[in-house]
Amino acid sequence: MGGKFIVFEGVEGCGKTSQMQLCAEWLQSLGSSVFLTREPGGTELGIDLRRLLLQKSEDKPISEVTELLLYAADRSQHVAQELKPQLAQGKYVLCDRYIDSTIAYQGYGRGLEMNLIHQLNNIATGGLSSDITIWLDVDVEVGLARKRGENVGLDRIEQETMAFHRRVQQGYADLAKSSSSRIIRIDGSLSKESVHKNIQEILSIHLKKLP
Ligand code: TMP
């Protein structure tokens, strides 16, 4: 597979979306072909799944295992329909969330069995792992305050308790420790420009090391 697979992760409001955009512009300015995508919602089917997963509706409860399966379904379609083909074309694929979100949110946040999560991640990805994952680390309170400032209302997951979001954050911290060659922590509380500069530095170092 010729391309490079770069994933952005973090708690709500960590700044992934704007950093991905800046990163895409930077890579394009260097002459690279870039494909921007996200989970959930990177395919037509995924857009429908994203709406089901994130809409706040007391009338339509989603059990924890159902939630896990819907994220896995979104991922399975995304890997087959977009990620593998785009990487095969040699592109830089920048993806907003991937398997570590499931470990952090459904594993640490919901407390679901880690073995089950790893099994589903394996099935859904068919073994496709990121070349590098950037974890934008911001305090949960800071991230949620940014989200509230957007004034578009919080979605089903954003509306979870503070304790839930703290467990998710702990998940990322543990993952960054246990997978330190793949997951790189970047301080997401700095200015947008400083975060972007740090991401540029990390990618320049790490992508050179990759095969
Ligand atoms: P976002 O794309 O705006 O960050 O929103 C996606 C939401 O879905 C976010 O709250 C994290 C959550 N999520 C999971 O809980 N598990 C997953 O596997 C993924 C990909 C996202």
Side-chain angles (χ1 to χ4, degrees), residues 26-58:
W26 170 58
L27 289 168
Q28 276 159 348
S29 76
L30 299 176
S32 304
S33 184
V34 176
F35 180 71
L36 277 171
T37 189
R38 70 173 175 183
E39 291 192 358
T43 61
E44 292 281 302
L45 174 69
I47 290 168
D48 288 342
L49 292 172
R50 181 181 176 93
R51 184 179 42 75
L52 292 172
L53 278 161
L54 298 184
Q55 73 188 354
K56 183 77 189 163
S57 169
E58 278 78 14

Side-chain angles (χ1 to χ4, degrees), residues 9-12 16-17 38-40 50 53-54 67 71-72 74-75 96-103 105-106 121 147 155 157-158 164-165 172:
E9 289 278 0
V11 296
E12 313 300 332
K16 292 178 281 98
T17 312
R38 70 173 175 183
E39 291 192 358
R50 181 181 176 93
L53 278 161
L54 298 184
E67 179 183 280
Y71 279 113
D74 169 76
R75 180 161 304 132
D96 192 335
R97 301 193 180 280
Y98 195 53
I99 53 169
D100 299 306
S101 279
T102 317
I103 296 171
Y105 281 80
Q106 281 65 53
N121 272 343
K147 279 279 161 190
D155 66 34
I157 305 249
E158 287 162 353
F164 173 88
H165 291 294
Y172 283 120

Side-chain angles (χ1 to χ4, degrees), residues 1 11 27 40 44-45 66 68 70-71 73 78 90 92 94-95 97 109 112 116 136 144 149 160 199-200 210-211:
M1 213 168 269
V11 296
L27 289 168
E44 292 281 302
L45 174 69
T66 306
L68 172 66
L70 289 174
Y71 279 113
H78 191 212
Y92 277 82
L94 307 190
C95 187
R97 301 193 180 280
L112 291 178
L116 175 62
L136 292 177
L144 284 171
E160 275 297 336
I199 290 175
Q200 281 185 351
L210 298 167

Side-chain angles (χ1 to χ4, degrees), residues 3 40 47 60 79 87 94-97 109 125 140 147 152 159 166 170 184 186-187:
I47 290 168
K60 285 193 220 152
V79 168
L87 287 166
L94 307 190
C95 187
D96 192 335
R97 301 193 180 280
T125 62
V140 165
K147 279 279 161 190
V152 286
Q159 288 190 351
R166 290 216 178 86
Q170 185 59 48
I184 308 292
I186 299 250
D187 184 349

Side-chain angles (χ1 to χ4, degrees), residues 73-143:
D74 169 76
R75 180 161 304 132
S76 164
Q77 187 65 26
H78 191 212
V79 168
Q81 190 181 323
E82 297 290 358
L83 297 181
K84 285 188 173 171
Q86 297 289 344
L87 287 166
Q89 287 175 35
K91 293 193 183 157
Y92 277 82
V93 173
L94 307 190
C95 187
D96 192 335
R97 301 193 180 280
Y98 195 53
I99 53 169
D100 299 306
S101 279
T102 317
I103 296 171
Y105 281 80
Q106 281 65 53
Y108 282 75
R110 301 284 188 223
L112 291 178
E113 182 55 49
M114 261 329 156
N115 275 341
L116 175 62
I117 290 172
H118 290 312
Q119 272 177 20
L120 283 171
N121 272 343
N122 286 339
I123 293 170
T125 62
L128 177 69
S129 144
S130 70
D131 289 299
I132 186 166
T133 295
I134 304 282
W135 167 38
L136 292 177
D137 184 14
V138 296
D139 282 349
V140 165
E141 286 84 355
V142 172

